Amino acid sequence: MTDELFLGLQTTLVGMGVTFLALSLLVAVSYLVAAAFRPRSTLEQQAAAAPGGPPVAVIAAAVLACLGQTDVRVTAVRRLEEAKAWRQSGRAAQMQARRSTLEKRWR
Amino acid sequence: MTDELFLGLQTTLVGMGVTFLALSLLVAVSYLVAAAFRPRSTLEQQAAAAPGGPPVAVIAAAVLACLGQTDVRVTAVRRLEEAKAWRQSGRAAQMQARRSTLEKRWR
Amino acid sequence: MTDELFLGLQTTLVGMGVTFLALSLLVAVSYLVAAAFRPRSTLEQQAAAAPGGPPVAVIAAAVLACLGQTDVRVTAVRRLEEAKAWRQSGRAAQMQARRSTLEKRWR
Amino acid sequence: MNWAQIGERLAEATGLNALTLGHGIMLGVACFLVYLAVVRRYEPLLLLPIAFGVLLANLPLAGLMEEGGLLFWLYQGVRLGIFPPLIFLGVGAMTDFGPLLANPKTFLLGAAAQFGIFMTFTGALLLGFTPAQASSIGIIGGADGPTAIFLTSRLAPELLGPIAIAAYSYMALVPIIQPPIMKALTTKAEREVVMEQLRPVGKGERVAFPIVVTVVTSVLLPPAAPLIGMLMLGNLFRESGVVERLTTTAQGELINIVTIFLAVTVGATASADRFLTVQTLSIIALGLVAFAFGTAAGVVLGKVMYLLTGGKVNPLIGSAGVSAVPMAARVVQIVGQEAKPGNFLLMHAMGPNVAGVIGSAVAAGVLLAMFGK
Amino acid sequence: MNWAQIGERLAEATGLNALTLGHGIMLGVACFLVYLAVVRRYEPLLLLPIAFGVLLANLPLAGLMEEGGLLFWLYQGVRLGIFPPLIFLGVGAMTDFGPLLANPKTFLLGAAAQFGIFMTFTGALLLGFTPAQASSIGIIGGADGPTAIFLTSRLAPELLGPIAIAAYSYMALVPIIQPPIMKALTTKAEREVVMEQLRPVGKGERVAFPIVVTVVTSVLLPPAAPLIGMLMLGNLFRESGVVERLTTTAQGELINIVTIFLAVTVGATASADRFLTVQTLSIIALGLVAFAFGTAAGVVLGKVMYLLTGGKVNPLIGSAGVSAVPMAARVVQIVGQEAKPGNFLLMHAMGPNVAGVIGSAVAAGVLLAMFGK
Amino acid sequence: MNWAQIGERLAEATGLNALTLGHGIMLGVACFLVYLAVVRRYEPLLLLPIAFGVLLANLPLAGLMEEGGLLFWLYQGVRLGIFPPLIFLGVGAMTDFGPLLANPKTFLLGAAAQFGIFMTFTGALLLGFTPAQASSIGIIGGADGPTAIFLTSRLAPELLGPIAIAAYSYMALVPIIQPPIMKALTTKAEREVVMEQLRPVGKGERVAFPIVVTVVTSVLLPPAAPLIGMLMLGNLFRESGVVERLTTTAQGELINIVTIFLAVTVGATASADRFLTVQTLSIIALGLVAFAFGTAAGVVLGKVMYLLTGGKVNPLIGSAGVSAVPMAARVVQIVGQEAKPGNFLLMHAMGPNVAGVIGSAVAAGVLLAMFGK
Ligand code: NA
Ligand code: NA
Ligand code: NA
């Protein structure tokens, strides 16, 4: 009887302690997360909306190096054109590929 | 040959017998079910529509006993008010909690 | 080093060979399939649309034989009537059996 | 590796050397089944994946149904008796037992139509099949795919392919098999009987029904419990009206997923050596006997009811007792309207029709009790 | 076979001879649970299939839960700890943690409300349950079905039936259990507190939140990882906005399928010999204690916050910390509006409400760490 | 228990003591992958759950991927080779092979583009990988996730994490990787070629196509049967037009459920000790080589066709042979329109694009035949 009561109270103390510890940590990280994202959130979204980005040049260069090509210019202008053509193609594709509208990418 | 025929006819007899027995029982219970539900069906549905009911008082009393509280009145009036508030809240919640419309209760 | 290179080139040769062989076969059978289906395609579809067909008479005859019945005439006229009644029933069934619209056949 | 070794490896790997005439014939069978499913529309939901399963199982060396193969794993759901009851869960969620509740006597027509099962059992015994095999062949007459597959997977899994194919093919042929039998056994006067309208059935009855059916049949005959229990759980979901999400899933995505796995792997049990036998021809012939005798017995009991009720029961509705829901009930409607245009028998036929589903499950239970391990 | 043998076989097969009073009582229990689910609408999504599982497990000789039976196979998803986390995946995909992110302090209310778990643990120990059983009984106070089932399947699977039934029943009774406690512990002035509107929460925070919660709680307490991890994966699907297909499936067909299998088989653990014991009555009584103390502890911490913030926190929202999402939050709304019509506490109560889900999973992790094998 | 014992128990249980630098780096990798999926939209349907799987597998002591853990059980679907074919079932149900049937010669472009696989295989051998590992790395060049996962789970499961991540990342980068290669290898005149419109394809052909493809490829190369067979079963569902329910499920809920399980558990194979190696960097570099060489080989065969047909084939469509459906075909459209605005190459590119799916499965079959157990 006393043993059970002792184990019960002990477990209550430890259990509530760990639970409060864990959720207090979550309070702290939630504030950190909020602080990290709030001010920059609009900028972030703009960046996300922009097509291509930092890795583009690196990878394009690697591709070219890998093929031993050096005469192709990788410029910012080029990328913007691509993006434009991309949107056009997207629209055209949408109109035509009626049957493959569900073809989200798994392949 | 004779053995097979005998087993076949025997199985036919037993099988059809059990099948008719089982489905005859179902005929009987179907009539019983119909008898049990037909006259009272409208009353039943009214009861179902009423919020709260017999277990409410018992459980509320148990809750209070368990907390050593005796000064809270558990009355029929109270329950009806609750039901009304409940409906109001339900409506308000519906308007606001747009994002959680799918939150049927699993938790 | 030489071994690896040799195995690599060997595998490349074999792999590309088998891949081209397989897909060349598919080119061939695709042309065959196209040839087999293109000219007859409209006829095929008409046949498909017709209710009943070759197996009907055979099976009906078998059913009758199996029951020792010979006095039922199995004629083309009969079958057309059935098909007509079928369509009518289908329509009627659709109107009434509101609750069982989902009952595609599993049984 | 040297070139010779690579050549050897590829020669071992390719199926060209292992291709036999049996494989070729089975691929032809598969194509014929695709034709029946796609062009003739014979139960395509089942017969199309079954056909492709036949094809996949007869690709030399692909080993899809051998231990460790893709279809071998999916087949475990059939082997362990999981998939057919799950399909019945969805069937129950789709089924309206109202017409049966409104006229419970029609339960008996669903019992009579099981006669085809036992006659065919006898026929199969006489043709030399074992009792377990004969039971599986007889159950074709139940005209319920999941019941047939469940019983066969337990008693004679080696016959699963031909039995499933025969069951679904004849179900598709119900509009051709049944009418001549129905007409041969009835007089025009009998076929012209107009039945009185069914009473409406309340929600309380509808909710209680699946519970009492489960208890009564399962206590009487426990081997029927997996099929009846799941059928009735699905129906309870439906009739309770409080778990719409589960009803939708049971009769939608869940039954679809299980159907794909079940049908493909049941088809895949039809390897050339198992399928290309005289047994398969016997099964196809016996399956037709089963449907014919089931229909006949249903109609005969219908005639008895016609007599006992002083002509209030149209005997045609007895033929719907074989189940094959809702096709057999529609056949009743058609044949009835041929005799008397404007006579509406469909709802009256739905009672024996859904009773036949329960009847076949009970019959399967009897056979499992008598010839199961 | 001669006639005597057949008679013997059928007599052995039928469940009539094996039917006991225990079976009969359990079938009555099942019908009572169906009544609660269908007529009283107590958590029907779970309680209806649980009820049918109770029924199926108590059909004599049907053996559905014995090795090789249908429900035995489906139960493996519970036994191996797969189904509860998958349900949490769907719950995460449905849950909006925005109110919690907008006011992270309410996490603490979700911690306080776990007090009921540990008090009940102590009570169960005193009544003679083992620590593992007492943990499973205590977790009823978490008011989260999947967490209760997950922990119990690991620590005391023999109690799964009564614990699941108690957990879902009391969740349905939250609007009856909580208000008297809430009112008894608060003054009218406290209940009238109007809280300031929550700030909007950006997408970046919402996406980062499930990741940091998973890492923090799982590193601190690894046994909580399956539940928290899947809950947060579902939420990440939801908040990322780029995998709508997966979000829809997680909170739709997947959770529905898993719910059917989980609920039926959890119910099916309640065989007569396990369920018809004094233990079951103790569990039902202790479950009520758990809910009551959890609610009380939440409200008490709410009062502390009321004091510390100079009256900016309405202590009623503490009671939502038991979770039972979203019911407990709605109860806060109702009780709050009773004190001050027009006061809108629902969104403020959603913070502790969803925090309670995390809190219970953490508490379950502690109990697993202390009393797991 | 005394306090010391409890302290010990908790100290053993918490992951804090077991946290290593490796775990920390892997959590960073997981966050980076989430960033790629959510912000950069790199194949989020796969990469987001893969990222979370990486995270879950690197929580110290959580043991989710160890025997008995949640992800361990779900992973069996990958280990036994079940999930990738099921995903192909859905892919087949989504795929329109019409453009390929209208112009079967484009099959050959889908063959040529597999060159990247074998070149990369050679490169991987030279970097010291075993033939089985090199095969799995090479298959990245197939630009088909399920094929890559299927082959790798059979030949080199220890590399599953980096290979899947590389495969899906590069597929997302196809619009960046391919254009410079396409332009470098073609003249402006070639890129300006306008191709004649494709003929319409009848239903008969469409139904026969999946059957003959399955038979031809599987008989020639049985190890390709699980992938090709399921891909074609899905396509047969689609084109038959008689099993809409199954088509919808295959390309909807079934593929979604399997994607969740597959992607999370494939990600979870990337434990710190397996992933943080030089091998991973090699794999990422080699994967890029694979895509580049595949594209180049496709374009080169396109140029050959241009010459042989007297300029009727635009060589750009060859680059779509790597598959990465439908992204690579769209890239063809874009690059083509850059050369000649108004030129519509998309449908012409869809032929080699879907041929590339079959081509990669065949290449995987060859590698399995040569280096499988
Ligand atoms: Na039947
Ligand atoms: Na909770
Ligand atoms: Na490919």
PDB file of all heavy atoms in Angstrom, chain B residues 10 14 52 59 67 86 99 102-103 105-107, chain E residues 40 43 94-95 144 171 181 251 259 325-326 334:
ATOM      1  N   GLN B  10     -26.587 -36.997 -49.529  1.00  0.00           N
ATOM      2  CA  GLN B  10     -26.534 -36.751 -48.094  1.00  0.00           C
ATOM      3  C   GLN B  10     -26.164 -35.275 -47.821  1.00  0.00           C
ATOM      4  O   GLN B  10     -26.817 -34.578 -47.039  1.00  0.00           O
ATOM      5  CB  GLN B  10     -25.457 -37.675 -47.538  1.00  0.00           C
ATOM      6  CG  GLN B  10     -25.503 -37.912 -46.071  1.00  0.00           C
ATOM      7  CD  GLN B  10     -24.332 -38.803 -45.664  1.00  0.00           C
ATOM      8  OE1 GLN B  10     -23.263 -38.791 -46.300  1.00  0.00           O
ATOM      9  NE2 GLN B  10     -24.531 -39.565 -44.622  1.00  0.00           N
ATOM     10  N   VAL B  14     -28.366 -32.401 -46.012  1.00  0.00           N
ATOM     11  CA  VAL B  14     -27.888 -31.686 -44.827  1.00  0.00           C
ATOM     12  C   VAL B  14     -27.694 -30.209 -45.142  1.00  0.00           C
ATOM     13  O   VAL B  14     -28.135 -29.317 -44.389  1.00  0.00           O
ATOM     14  CB  VAL B  14     -26.563 -32.301 -44.328  1.00  0.00           C
ATOM     15  CG1 VAL B  14     -25.960 -31.444 -43.226  1.00  0.00           C
ATOM     16  CG2 VAL B  14     -26.793 -33.717 -43.850  1.00  0.00           C
ATOM     17  N   GLY B  52     -28.417  14.989 -24.161  1.00  0.00           N
ATOM     18  CA  GLY B  52     -28.322  14.496 -22.791  1.00  0.00           C
ATOM     19  C   GLY B  52     -29.323  13.389 -22.586  1.00  0.00           C
ATOM     20  O   GLY B  52     -29.904  12.880 -23.534  1.00  0.00           O
ATOM     21  N   ILE B  59     -23.705  10.550 -14.255  1.00  0.00           N
ATOM     22  CA  ILE B  59     -22.290  10.865 -14.427  1.00  0.00           C
ATOM     23  C   ILE B  59     -21.946  12.201 -13.796  1.00  0.00           C
ATOM     24  O   ILE B  59     -20.915  12.346 -13.145  1.00  0.00           O
ATOM     25  CB  ILE B  59     -21.930  10.835 -15.932  1.00  0.00           C
ATOM     26  CG1 ILE B  59     -21.943   9.386 -16.386  1.00  0.00           C
ATOM     27  CG2 ILE B  59     -20.583  11.454 -16.177  1.00  0.00           C
ATOM     28  CD1 ILE B  59     -22.043   9.229 -17.862  1.00  0.00           C
ATOM     29  N   LEU B  67     -15.117  14.911  -6.882  1.00  0.00           N
ATOM     30  CA  LEU B  67     -14.405  16.139  -6.564  1.00  0.00           C
ATOM     31  C   LEU B  67     -14.814  16.700  -5.202  1.00  0.00           C
ATOM     32  O   LEU B  67     -14.333  17.741  -4.775  1.00  0.00           O
ATOM     33  CB  LEU B  67     -14.700  17.201  -7.632  1.00  0.00           C
ATOM     34  CG  LEU B  67     -14.068  16.946  -8.977  1.00  0.00           C
ATOM     35  CD1 LEU B  67     -14.675  17.878 -10.007  1.00  0.00           C
ATOM     36  CD2 LEU B  67     -12.563  17.137  -8.906  1.00  0.00           C
ATOM     37  N   TRP B  86     -24.824  25.086 -26.735  1.00  0.00           N
ATOM     38  CA  TRP B  86     -24.080  24.173 -27.583  1.00  0.00           C
ATOM     39  C   TRP B  86     -24.360  24.451 -29.063  1.00  0.00           C
ATOM     40  O   TRP B  86     -23.448  24.566 -29.880  1.00  0.00           O
ATOM     41  CB  TRP B  86     -24.561  22.762 -27.235  1.00  0.00           C
ATOM     42  CG  TRP B  86     -23.748  21.676 -27.828  1.00  0.00           C
ATOM     43  CD1 TRP B  86     -24.148  20.763 -28.741  1.00  0.00           C
ATOM     44  CD2 TRP B  86     -22.396  21.392 -27.524  1.00  0.00           C
ATOM     45  NE1 TRP B  86     -23.131  19.926 -29.035  1.00  0.00           N
ATOM     46  CE2 TRP B  86     -22.030  20.292 -28.307  1.00  0.00           C
ATOM     47  CE3 TRP B  86     -21.443  21.962 -26.689  1.00  0.00           C
ATOM     48  CZ2 TRP B  86     -20.773  19.744 -28.272  1.00  0.00           C
ATOM     49  CZ3 TRP B  86     -20.185  21.412 -26.651  1.00  0.00           C
ATOM     50  CH2 TRP B  86     -19.864  20.309 -27.442  1.00  0.00           C
ATOM     51  N   ARG B  99     -10.665  26.225 -41.236  1.00  0.00           N
ATOM     52  CA  ARG B  99      -9.598  25.294 -41.578  1.00  0.00           C
ATOM     53  C   ARG B  99      -9.789  23.910 -41.002  1.00  0.00           C
ATOM     54  O   ARG B  99      -9.129  22.969 -41.396  1.00  0.00           O
ATOM     55  CB  ARG B  99      -8.250  25.842 -41.113  1.00  0.00           C
ATOM     56  CG  ARG B  99      -7.920  27.177 -41.766  1.00  0.00           C
ATOM     57  CD  ARG B  99      -6.471  27.470 -41.626  1.00  0.00           C
ATOM     58  NE  ARG B  99      -5.667  26.498 -42.368  1.00  0.00           N
ATOM     59  CZ  ARG B  99      -4.375  26.631 -42.567  1.00  0.00           C
ATOM     60  NH1 ARG B  99      -3.733  27.671 -42.100  1.00  0.00           N
ATOM     61  NH2 ARG B  99      -3.691  25.732 -43.225  1.00  0.00           N
ATOM     62  N   LEU B 102     -12.727  19.456 -41.411  1.00  0.00           N
ATOM     63  CA  LEU B 102     -12.615  18.008 -41.553  1.00  0.00           C
ATOM     64  C   LEU B 102     -12.327  17.318 -40.232  1.00  0.00           C
ATOM     65  O   LEU B 102     -12.260  16.108 -40.161  1.00  0.00           O
ATOM     66  CB  LEU B 102     -11.513  17.658 -42.552  1.00  0.00           C
ATOM     67  CG  LEU B 102     -11.958  17.757 -43.999  1.00  0.00           C
ATOM     68  CD1 LEU B 102     -10.776  17.676 -44.924  1.00  0.00           C
ATOM     69  CD2 LEU B 102     -12.951  16.655 -44.309  1.00  0.00           C
ATOM     70  N   GLU B 103     -12.153  18.115 -39.181  1.00  0.00           N
ATOM     71  CA  GLU B 103     -11.758  17.524 -37.916  1.00  0.00           C
ATOM     72  C   GLU B 103     -12.856  16.727 -37.247  1.00  0.00           C
ATOM     73  O   GLU B 103     -13.335  17.090 -36.186  1.00  0.00           O
ATOM     74  CB  GLU B 103     -11.259  18.611 -36.969  1.00  0.00           C
ATOM     75  CG  GLU B 103      -9.931  19.161 -37.425  1.00  0.00           C
ATOM     76  CD  GLU B 103      -9.278  20.001 -36.366  1.00  0.00           C
ATOM     77  OE1 GLU B 103      -9.486  19.730 -35.187  1.00  0.00           O
ATOM     78  OE2 GLU B 103      -8.555  20.937 -36.735  1.00  0.00           O
ATOM     79  N   ARG B 105     -13.802  13.605 -35.008  1.00  0.00           N
ATOM     80  CA  ARG B 105     -13.060  13.364 -33.782  1.00  0.00           C
ATOM     81  C   ARG B 105     -12.309  12.035 -33.761  1.00  0.00           C
ATOM     82  O   ARG B 105     -12.928  10.992 -33.730  1.00  0.00           O
ATOM     83  CB  ARG B 105     -14.039  13.371 -32.624  1.00  0.00           C
ATOM     84  CG  ARG B 105     -14.831  14.628 -32.470  1.00  0.00           C
ATOM     85  CD  ARG B 105     -14.016  15.632 -31.767  1.00  0.00           C
ATOM     86  NE  ARG B 105     -13.270  14.947 -30.749  1.00  0.00           N
ATOM     87  CZ  ARG B 105     -13.801  14.349 -29.705  1.00  0.00           C
ATOM     88  NH1 ARG B 105     -15.076  14.332 -29.502  1.00  0.00           N
ATOM     89  NH2 ARG B 105     -13.036  13.750 -28.833  1.00  0.00           N
ATOM     90  N   TRP B 106     -11.008  12.067 -33.796  1.00  0.00           N
ATOM     91  CA  TRP B 106     -10.234  10.844 -33.603  1.00  0.00           C
ATOM     92  C   TRP B 106      -9.447  10.862 -32.292  1.00  0.00           C
ATOM     93  O   TRP B 106      -8.876   9.882 -31.884  1.00  0.00           O
ATOM     94  CB  TRP B 106      -9.217  10.649 -34.724  1.00  0.00           C
ATOM     95  CG  TRP B 106      -9.711   9.749 -35.761  1.00  0.00           C
ATOM     96  CD1 TRP B 106      -9.685   8.396 -35.746  1.00  0.00           C
ATOM     97  CD2 TRP B 106     -10.357  10.119 -36.965  1.00  0.00           C
ATOM     98  NE1 TRP B 106     -10.273   7.904 -36.875  1.00  0.00           N
ATOM     99  CE2 TRP B 106     -10.683   8.939 -37.644  1.00  0.00           C
ATOM    100  CE3 TRP B 106     -10.680  11.318 -37.556  1.00  0.00           C
ATOM    101  CZ2 TRP B 106     -11.321   8.930 -38.861  1.00  0.00           C
ATOM    102  CZ3 TRP B 106     -11.301  11.310 -38.761  1.00  0.00           C
ATOM    103  CH2 TRP B 106     -11.618  10.129 -39.403  1.00  0.00           C
ATOM    104  N   ARG B 107      -9.323  12.051 -31.710  1.00  0.00           N
ATOM    105  CA  ARG B 107      -8.411  12.192 -30.580  1.00  0.00           C
ATOM    106  C   ARG B 107      -9.060  11.863 -29.265  1.00  0.00           C
ATOM    107  O   ARG B 107     -10.230  12.163 -29.080  1.00  0.00           O
ATOM    108  CB  ARG B 107      -7.877  13.616 -30.551  1.00  0.00           C
ATOM    109  CG  ARG B 107      -6.897  13.778 -31.704  1.00  0.00           C
ATOM    110  CD  ARG B 107      -6.777  15.185 -32.138  1.00  0.00           C
ATOM    111  NE  ARG B 107      -7.861  15.579 -32.990  1.00  0.00           N
ATOM    112  CZ  ARG B 107      -7.754  16.530 -33.903  1.00  0.00           C
ATOM    113  NH1 ARG B 107      -6.608  17.101 -34.109  1.00  0.00           N
ATOM    114  NH2 ARG B 107      -8.770  16.887 -34.613  1.00  0.00           N
TER     115      ARG B 107
ATOM    116  N   ARG E  40     -27.059   7.755 -29.215  1.00  0.00           N
ATOM    117  CA  ARG E  40     -26.491   8.838 -28.399  1.00  0.00           C
ATOM    118  C   ARG E  40     -25.346   9.573 -29.103  1.00  0.00           C
ATOM    119  O   ARG E  40     -24.838  10.554 -28.565  1.00  0.00           O
ATOM    120  CB  ARG E  40     -25.972   8.287 -27.070  1.00  0.00           C
ATOM    121  CG  ARG E  40     -27.021   7.669 -26.206  1.00  0.00           C
ATOM    122  CD  ARG E  40     -27.436   8.587 -25.065  1.00  0.00           C
ATOM    123  NE  ARG E  40     -28.789   8.232 -24.662  1.00  0.00           N
ATOM    124  CZ  ARG E  40     -29.778   9.095 -24.538  1.00  0.00           C
ATOM    125  NH1 ARG E  40     -29.586  10.377 -24.728  1.00  0.00           N
ATOM    126  NH2 ARG E  40     -30.979   8.684 -24.207  1.00  0.00           N
ATOM    127  N   GLU E  43     -19.030   9.386 -30.094  1.00  0.00           N
ATOM    128  CA  GLU E  43     -17.881   9.070 -30.955  1.00  0.00           C
ATOM    129  C   GLU E  43     -18.162   7.923 -31.914  1.00  0.00           C
ATOM    130  O   GLU E  43     -17.439   6.919 -31.922  1.00  0.00           O
ATOM    131  CB  GLU E  43     -16.679   8.663 -30.092  1.00  0.00           C
ATOM    132  CG  GLU E  43     -16.202   9.723 -29.153  1.00  0.00           C
ATOM    133  CD  GLU E  43     -15.469  10.806 -29.887  1.00  0.00           C
ATOM    134  OE1 GLU E  43     -14.999  10.558 -31.019  1.00  0.00           O
ATOM    135  OE2 GLU E  43     -15.388  11.925 -29.357  1.00  0.00           O
ATOM    136  N   MET E  94      -5.057  17.113 -40.233  1.00  0.00           N
ATOM    137  CA  MET E  94      -6.295  17.850 -39.974  1.00  0.00           C
ATOM    138  C   MET E  94      -6.094  19.011 -38.999  1.00  0.00           C
ATOM    139  O   MET E  94      -6.977  19.858 -38.872  1.00  0.00           O
ATOM    140  CB  MET E  94      -7.324  16.922 -39.307  1.00  0.00           C
ATOM    141  CG  MET E  94      -7.915  15.860 -40.169  1.00  0.00           C
ATOM    142  SD  MET E  94      -9.037  14.866 -39.113  1.00  0.00           S
ATOM    143  CE  MET E  94      -9.099  13.366 -40.063  1.00  0.00           C
ATOM    144  N   THR E  95      -4.989  18.987 -38.268  1.00  0.00           N
ATOM    145  CA  THR E  95      -4.850  19.888 -37.129  1.00  0.00           C
ATOM    146  C   THR E  95      -4.198  21.205 -37.523  1.00  0.00           C
ATOM    147  O   THR E  95      -3.193  21.231 -38.221  1.00  0.00           O
ATOM    148  CB  THR E  95      -4.032  19.211 -36.019  1.00  0.00           C
ATOM    149  OG1 THR E  95      -4.677  18.003 -35.639  1.00  0.00           O
ATOM    150  CG2 THR E  95      -3.905  20.129 -34.797  1.00  0.00           C
ATOM    151  N   ASP E 144      -6.910  11.036 -25.718  1.00  0.00           N
ATOM    152  CA  ASP E 144      -6.479  10.822 -27.106  1.00  0.00           C
ATOM    153  C   ASP E 144      -6.524   9.336 -27.385  1.00  0.00           C
ATOM    154  O   ASP E 144      -5.656   8.589 -26.918  1.00  0.00           O
ATOM    155  CB  ASP E 144      -5.047  11.319 -27.302  1.00  0.00           C
ATOM    156  CG  ASP E 144      -5.009  12.797 -27.540  1.00  0.00           C
ATOM    157  OD1 ASP E 144      -5.552  13.244 -28.562  1.00  0.00           O
ATOM    158  OD2 ASP E 144      -4.464  13.502 -26.683  1.00  0.00           O
ATOM    159  N   MET E 171     -14.555  10.680 -23.801  1.00  0.00           N
ATOM    160  CA  MET E 171     -14.350  11.793 -24.744  1.00  0.00           C
ATOM    161  C   MET E 171     -15.699  12.324 -25.214  1.00  0.00           C
ATOM    162  O   MET E 171     -15.894  13.528 -25.324  1.00  0.00           O
ATOM    163  CB  MET E 171     -13.533  11.320 -25.937  1.00  0.00           C
ATOM    164  CG  MET E 171     -12.041  11.457 -25.693  1.00  0.00           C
ATOM    165  SD  MET E 171     -11.139  11.047 -27.179  1.00  0.00           S
ATOM    166  CE  MET E 171     -10.662   9.387 -26.773  1.00  0.00           C
ATOM    167  N   ILE E 181     -16.902  20.896 -13.187  1.00  0.00           N
ATOM    168  CA  ILE E 181     -15.557  21.061 -12.615  1.00  0.00           C
ATOM    169  C   ILE E 181     -15.047  22.466 -12.910  1.00  0.00           C
ATOM    170  O   ILE E 181     -14.490  23.154 -12.046  1.00  0.00           O
ATOM    171  CB  ILE E 181     -14.605  20.006 -13.210  1.00  0.00           C
ATOM    172  CG1 ILE E 181     -15.114  18.595 -12.890  1.00  0.00           C
ATOM    173  CG2 ILE E 181     -13.196  20.196 -12.695  1.00  0.00           C
ATOM    174  CD1 ILE E 181     -14.432  17.490 -13.655  1.00  0.00           C
ATOM    175  N   GLN E 251      -5.559  12.372 -44.331  1.00  0.00           N
ATOM    176  CA  GLN E 251      -6.695  12.698 -43.469  1.00  0.00           C
ATOM    177  C   GLN E 251      -7.997  12.144 -44.028  1.00  0.00           C
ATOM    178  O   GLN E 251      -9.055  12.369 -43.442  1.00  0.00           O
ATOM    179  CB  GLN E 251      -6.802  14.210 -43.294  1.00  0.00           C
ATOM    180  CG  GLN E 251      -7.277  14.935 -44.535  1.00  0.00           C
ATOM    181  CD  GLN E 251      -7.320  16.440 -44.320  1.00  0.00           C
ATOM    182  OE1 GLN E 251      -6.848  16.951 -43.328  1.00  0.00           O
ATOM    183  NE2 GLN E 251      -7.880  17.152 -45.266  1.00  0.00           N
ATOM    184  N   THR E 259      -8.801   3.324 -39.372  1.00  0.00           N
ATOM    185  CA  THR E 259      -9.781   3.397 -38.292  1.00  0.00           C
ATOM    186  C   THR E 259     -10.670   2.161 -38.274  1.00  0.00           C
ATOM    187  O   THR E 259     -10.943   1.594 -37.208  1.00  0.00           O
ATOM    188  CB  THR E 259     -10.651   4.661 -38.456  1.00  0.00           C
ATOM    189  OG1 THR E 259      -9.816   5.803 -38.326  1.00  0.00           O
ATOM    190  CG2 THR E 259     -11.746   4.718 -37.399  1.00  0.00           C
ATOM    191  N   VAL E 325      -9.848  16.875 -28.810  1.00  0.00           N
ATOM    192  CA  VAL E 325     -10.010  17.902 -29.845  1.00  0.00           C
ATOM    193  C   VAL E 325     -11.191  17.574 -30.743  1.00  0.00           C
ATOM    194  O   VAL E 325     -11.325  16.414 -31.151  1.00  0.00           O
ATOM    195  CB  VAL E 325      -8.736  17.995 -30.712  1.00  0.00           C
ATOM    196  CG1 VAL E 325      -8.854  19.129 -31.720  1.00  0.00           C
ATOM    197  CG2 VAL E 325      -7.499  18.160 -29.852  1.00  0.00           C
ATOM    198  N   PRO E 326     -12.035  18.512 -31.127  1.00  0.00           N
ATOM    199  CA  PRO E 326     -12.112  19.898 -30.680  1.00  0.00           C
ATOM    200  C   PRO E 326     -13.189  20.064 -29.614  1.00  0.00           C
ATOM    201  O   PRO E 326     -13.546  21.179 -29.285  1.00  0.00           O
ATOM    202  CB  PRO E 326     -12.536  20.619 -31.962  1.00  0.00           C
ATOM    203  CG  PRO E 326     -13.435  19.624 -32.636  1.00  0.00           C
ATOM    204  CD  PRO E 326     -12.975  18.249 -32.216  1.00  0.00           C
ATOM    205  N   ILE E 334     -18.581  27.329 -24.681  1.00  0.00           N
ATOM    206  CA  ILE E 334     -19.945  27.333 -24.126  1.00  0.00           C
ATOM    207  C   ILE E 334     -19.966  27.880 -22.709  1.00  0.00           C
ATOM    208  O   ILE E 334     -20.765  28.763 -22.374  1.00  0.00           O
ATOM    209  CB  ILE E 334     -20.492  25.884 -24.124  1.00  0.00           C
ATOM    210  CG1 ILE E 334     -20.706  25.427 -25.556  1.00  0.00           C
ATOM    211  CG2 ILE E 334     -21.794  25.804 -23.332  1.00  0.00           C
ATOM    212  CD1 ILE E 334     -20.740  23.920 -25.680  1.00  0.00           C
TER     213      ILE E 334
END
